[in-house]
Amino acid sequence: MDAMRVVILAIAIVAAGAAALLVRGMVSDRPSAPVQAQVTETVRVLVAGRDLNRGDRLGADVLQWRRWPENAISDRYITDRNSEDAREELESAVVRSLIVEGEPILDAKIVRGAGSGLMAAILTPGMRAIAIDINAETTAGGFILPGDHVDVILTRQLRGAQGQTKAKSETVLRDVKVLAVDQNYQGEDDQDVVLGDTITLELSAKGTERLLKAQASGSITLVLRPLTAGEAVEEDLEDYARSGIRVTRYGQMRN
C-alpha cells in the first residue's frame, strides 16, 4: 500500500468519526417526549380534625372529609360513597379509644349514640360503674356534676352498752370519679346544678364491694372534692383535747 492510500484511509476514518459525533449531538439536543402523568383516583374519607380521647363526644366540628387514594382505602373506613351524611349521623357518638388528628374514623373506636356500650366507652380499663340513689342533701346540693371527684362518707347510728345511740361518720372511699348523674354522662359548659335521683361512680372491683357494704350499713353522703390536687389539713388532735374529748395517743389517754 503506497503512502497516498494510507493518507486517504486516515482521512476517511476521521470523517466518519466526526459524522458520528455530529449525529449524536443532534439526537441529544432533540426534546424528549413528555411522560404521561398517572392519575390516581381519590375518595373522601371521614377523619378526626383533632386528637380525640376516650369519652369525647363527636360532632360536625371535629370531623372532616379528607381526600384519600382509592387504592389505599380500607373496608373499615367511612367514606362519602357509603355514607354521605356520616358527619351528622355521628354527632351523638362517643370515642371508645384514642383517635389522633387525621386518623380515619372506625366503628371499632367509637360508640354510636343509639348503640349499647356507651358507659363502657367512658369507663377506665379495669374499673366498674355503679349507680346509687341520691338527693340534694347527699350530693352537695346538686352541685356534683359528671367528671367531678368525690369522697364517699358513711354515717351509722351506733347503740352503746347503756342503750344510748350516737352517730358515727367515716370516709370509706376517696377521690372517686363521677361518671353520670341520672342519664347525663357529660357536664355542659353552662351547667351549674344537676338534681337527679341516681349518680354513677367509677370504682375498682374492691371499691364496688366496699360501697355496697357501706350502703347496707347506713346512709351515704358524697362530698365534692376541689379540682386542684392536694388534701386539706386535718384538725389537730389537740383541738379535740381542748374540747373535752378524750384522745388516745401512743397508748396513753389524754383529756
Side-chain angles (χ1 to χ4, degrees), residues 46-173:
L46 195 65
V47 303
R50 59 176 174 83
D51 291 347
L52 299 171
N53 297 310
R54 185 178 66 251
D56 287 348
R57 187 183 302 189
L58 296 182
D61 58 327
V62 299
L63 297 175
Q64 298 178 355
W65 289 111
R66 186 167 297 180
R67 289 289 177 181
W68 210 270
E70 187 176 20
N71 55 9
I73 294 293
S74 170
D75 294 337
R76 299 187 299 167
Y77 292 175
I78 300 175
T79 68
D80 57 354
R81 291 182 178 179
N82 53 36
S83 181
E84 293 184 357
D85 300 326
R87 291 181 62 183
E88 291 73 20
E89 294 171 356
L90 296 179
E91 283 190 359
S92 58
V94 177
V95 177
R96 185 189 296 272
S97 58
L98 174 66
I99 303 176
V100 299
E101 181 179 356
E103 179 182 350
I105 302 297
L106 306 179
D107 279 326
K109 288 196 171 186
I110 62 174
V111 177
R112 296 177 183 265
S116 60
L118 184 62
M119 185 57 65
I122 304 174
L123 271 175
T124 302
M127 303 297 281
R128 311 290 190 272
I130 179 171
I132 61 174
D133 295 333
I134 60 169
N135 54 49
E137 290 74 18
T138 60
T139 55
F143 281 93
I144 296 177
L145 300 174
D148 287 339
H149 287 246
V150 298
D151 290 341
V152 180
I153 296 180
L154 166 65
T155 301
R156 295 179 290 175
Q157 298 294 329
L158 302 179
R159 185 176 298 276
Q162 306 299 325
Q164 74 278 17
T165 60
K166 61 178 181 179
K168 179 183 179 181
S169 296
E170 59 178 318
T171 301
V172 294
L173 294 167

Side-chain angles (χ1 to χ4, degrees), residues 225-241:
R225 295 174 64 93
L227 293 177
T228 56
E231 287 287 344
V233 178
E234 298 289 349
E235 296 89 342
D236 192 272
L237 288 178
E238 295 297 336
D239 294 336
Y240 291 105

Side-chain angles (χ1 to χ4, degrees), residues 15-25:
L21 292 175
L22 180 61
V23 172
R24 179 179 298 179

